[in-house]
Amino acid sequence: PIIEFKGVSKTYNTGTHALNDINIKINPGEFVFVVGASGAGKSTFMKLIVREEEANTGVLKVNGYDLMKIKHKEIPMLRRTMGIVFQDFRLIPTMNVFDNVAFAMRVIGASSRKVRKDVSAVLSMVGLGHKARSMPNQLSGGEQQRVGLARALVNKPSLIIADEPTGNVDPNLSYEIVSKLTEINRQGTTVLMVTHDHSLVRDFQHRVIMLEEGRIVADNAAGGAGA
């Protein structure tokens, strides 16, 4: 599996039991929606995968890394194997759209020729080729979210982690973003997406993991396939 949780629990210092005894395997090439009410543990689930938070107990492996034993200096290497789309965009306000996306490639030392080619391709893919020179504050929320998506995709990661990527955009754009992620998934990329939008979950027949009070209460493969 590309992601494996075995008996994983997470309690914050405040005493909040965010996750209790999570057992799950996500295989390469799957598209998984993670759903649940606010406070169900969805954000913690994602933060553990990208190692923004550390689990208290259990076994947690992502992309071949053992996250219970990972050294601090290896965390950036782990994150380079994934594309992360945040709800709050996290764009760099002083850089234009092109450079916001290129930044993800420059960090790993891609050549300027490759940067030009790949950034242009991914911006066209998310429909923002004409906005390459715009600054983030000149974009709508939906456009900013698509820049975030482009940045997550540009290094062709094996795993996309999307935390409420449609949380701040209108329904049509939500549909479009999930369509893009589905398209990328068809090319073999594993996609894990937290959402509270049940119409999207209904429209796109993917595997759904449901969290409730820090536990997995349902895990159904799309349309019964492989369930």
Side-chain angles (χ1 to χ4, degrees):
I2 197 164
I3 298 174
E4 184 171 17
F5 281 72
K6 271 191 204 161
V8 172
S9 295
K10 170 69 182 173
T11 304
Y12 287 102
N13 298 342
T14 54
T16 309
H17 297 295
L19 293 174
N20 295 303
D21 193 28
I22 300 291
N23 293 288
I24 200 143
K25 281 182 185 170
I26 293 170
N27 291 314
E30 284 198 87
F31 189 126
V32 183
F33 284 124
V34 181
V35 301
S38 185
K42 306 186 301 291
S43 284
T44 300
F45 182 73
M46 296 306 234
K47 282 176 177 160
L48 290 181
I49 292 170
V50 303
R51 199 48 168 66
E52 259 185 43
E53 291 289 347
E54 211 172 324
N56 298 98
T57 55
V59 176
L60 175 51
K61 293 182 178 167
V62 177
N63 265 340
Y65 287 88
D66 182 337
L67 297 204
M68 304 305 271
K69 296 181 181 149
I70 193 168
K71 293 184 181 71
H72 197 72
K73 64 172 193 288
E74 292 176 322
I75 294 173
M77 283 140 66
L78 161 78
R79 289 186 186 147
R80 280 175 201 171
T81 66
M82 48 178 90
I84 306 170
V85 189
F86 301 100
Q87 186 175 0
D88 55 0
F89 317 139
R90 298 196 193 179
L91 301 181
I92 301 161
T94 53
M95 286 186 181
N96 67 24
V97 165
F98 184 93
D99 287 329
N100 258 287
V101 177
F103 184 72
M105 294 186 74
R106 290 176 179 140
V107 166
I108 59 170
S111 72
S112 53
R113 190 167 150 262
K114 186 165 171 52
V115 167
R116 268 199 312 278
K117 183 170 151 284
D118 292 3
V119 173
S120 301
V122 78
L123 284 176
S124 312
M125 193 180 108
V126 299
L128 288 177
H130 60 301
K131 296 272 185 172
R133 300 285 161 227
S134 301
M135 299 305 280
N137 65 358
Q138 298 171 312
L139 304 178
S140 68
E143 287 168 337
Q144 290 185 42
Q145 186 55 288
R146 282 186 282 162
V147 178
L149 184 59
R151 186 183 53 196
L153 299 174
V154 75
N155 286 325
K156 304 186 174 62
S158 56
L159 173 63
I160 297 274
I161 301 284
D163 189 2
E164 296 277 14
T166 63
N168 298 322
V169 298
D170 68 69
N172 291 345
L173 193 62
S174 301
Y175 194 90
E176 201 181 305
I177 287 171
V178 182
S179 298
K180 285 271 180 277
L181 288 170
T182 300
E183 208 175 293
I184 290 146
N185 170 249
R186 286 202 189 105
Q187 292 159 17
T189 305
T190 310
V191 177
L192 186 60
M193 173 175 159
V194 168
T195 184
H196 59 259
D197 187 335
H198 291 284
S199 61
L200 286 175
V201 175
R202 249 194 336 270
D203 288 342
F204 292 89
Q205 296 286 307
H206 297 308
R207 178 179 171 187
V208 182
I209 292 171
M210 189 170 191
L211 288 167
E212 203 172 282
E213 293 179 353
R215 296 180 184 278
I216 291 175
V217 292
D219 179 359
N220 60 329

